[in-house]
């Protein structure tokens, strides 16, 4: 009985088929960031994204059902990294809550203003696209508010803050911070990252100080 035939998959330019597929997806995501972050979602087309990526439409549809799915993937990648930086900055074991929140705000603003396409996708182009996209945006806002609430509750347990509900206040503060970022994206580009951080901290810090025990 002959042994079963084993077919070898030859890599292309040193890459396996899976690696090539992932590389194409990365190119499409980078192209999506460029197109959505400059032309805007409503002006974007699949062909435009593919031209930017240097790929044919066929490869686009290997990864995304439509341009909204591509926008969602770009958005998810950006907010995941933004939330990672926020979480890393806010969890200093030594600093007071206002300082931790200010550090988190700085981290988010730095991430956003490193590349102005990022806040445009996160805070402007993702708005009003579809009910599912709105639900995703709402989940992100609640997730960031939960992060601030957890830090507030840590201060409550340490006796440094009054023991009152803070979740809704945190959500309102996140919304206010988002509006300041939108204002920067849509027009007030004269403000530096430090000034934008100070604007946002100016909303958060008085509320946090009013909750000190």
């Amino acid at each position: 009985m002959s042994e079963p035939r084993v077919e070898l998959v030859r890599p292309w330019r040193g890459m396996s088929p899976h690696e090539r597929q992932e590389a194409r997806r990365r190119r499409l995501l980078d192209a999506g960031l460029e197109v959505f972050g400059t032309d805007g979602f409503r002006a974007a087309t699949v062909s435009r994204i593919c031209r930017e990526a240097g790929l044919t439409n066929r490869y686009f549809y290997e990864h995304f059902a439509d341009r909204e799915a591509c926008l969602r993937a770009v958005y998810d990648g950006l907010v995941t990294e933004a939330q990672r930086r926020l979480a890393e900055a806010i969890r200093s074991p030594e600093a007071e809550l206002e300082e931790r929140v200010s550090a988190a705000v700085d981290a988010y603003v730095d991430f956003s203003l490193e590349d102005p396409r990022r806040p445009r996708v996160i805070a402007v182009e993702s708005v009003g696209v579809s009910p599912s996209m709105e639900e995703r945006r709402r989940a992100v806002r609640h997730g960031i508010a939960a992060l601030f609430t957890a830090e507030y509750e840590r201060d409550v347990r340490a006796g440094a803050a009054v023991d009152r509900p803070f979740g809704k206040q945190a959500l309102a503060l996140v919304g206010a911070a988002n509006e300041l970022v939108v204002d920067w994206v849509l027009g007030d580009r004269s403000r530096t990252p430090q000034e934008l951080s100070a604007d946002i901290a100016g909303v958060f810090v008085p509320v946090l100080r009013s909750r000190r025990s």
Side-chain angles (χ1 to χ4, degrees):
M1 182 176 179
S2 62
E3 293 185 3
R5 181 182 175 185
V6 177
E7 294 194 10
L8 298 177
V9 177
R10 297 183 182 279
W12 177 69
R13 294 183 182 176
M15 300 172 70
S16 70
H18 175 72
E19 289 171 334
R20 294 202 304 271
Q21 188 176 50
E22 286 302 304
R24 287 193 292 266
R25 185 175 189 275
R26 182 69 261 165
R27 286 166 66 179
L28 288 164
L29 289 173
D30 290 343
L33 176 60
E34 171 62 18
V35 175
F36 299 137
T38 55
D39 298 346
F41 174 72
R42 284 151 191 83
T45 64
V46 169
S47 294
R48 169 78 177 88
I49 294 168
C50 290
R51 283 198 307 276
E52 183 68 32
L55 297 169
T56 64
N57 289 26
R58 174 172 73 89
Y59 290 120
F60 180 93
Y61 290 109
E62 280 186 359
H63 297 280
F64 308 112
D66 51 29
R67 66 195 179 113
E68 181 183 331
C70 184
L71 174 69
R72 170 70 177 263
V74 173
Y75 175 89
D76 283 349
L78 293 175
V79 296
T80 295
E81 177 60 16
Q83 287 176 306
R84 185 192 70 77
R85 295 196 193 188
L86 275 167
E88 189 176 85
I90 203 172
R91 287 177 180 150
S92 169
E94 303 290 333
E96 292 187 348
L97 181 60
E98 296 96 314
E99 295 170 335
R100 300 199 306 271
V101 168
S102 293
V105 168
D106 288 345
Y108 177 75
V109 170
D110 287 345
F111 170 75
S112 295
L113 273 60
E114 281 171 9
D115 184 343
R117 299 173 303 177
R118 293 171 180 172
R120 180 168 175 182
V121 170
I122 293 172
V124 177
E125 297 304 326
S126 61
V127 176
V129 171
S130 69
S132 63
M133 194 71 205
E134 284 303 300
E135 184 59 30
R136 173 63 177 140
R137 293 181 64 252
R138 180 173 179 272
V140 168
R141 293 194 301 273
H142 276 262
I144 295 172
L147 183 67
F148 289 126
T149 301
E151 290 301 304
Y152 178 83
E153 290 172 349
R154 180 154 72 94
D155 268 30
V156 169
R157 291 192 295 274
V162 295
D163 187 6
R164 295 207 308 268
F166 187 68
K168 296 301 183 184
Q169 287 75 17
L171 186 60
L173 292 171
V174 170
N178 182 71
E179 284 305 307
L180 288 170
V181 172
V182 170
D183 186 62
W184 184 89
V185 172
L186 294 181
D188 194 12
R189 298 290 185 92
S190 64
R191 301 193 71 69
T192 66
Q194 294 77 18
E195 288 172 329
L196 181 56
S197 288
D199 290 341
I200 296 172
V203 175
F204 276 79
V205 171
V207 174
L208 296 172
R209 284 180 178 160
S210 73
R211 295 295 192 95
R212 282 252 163 241
S213 60

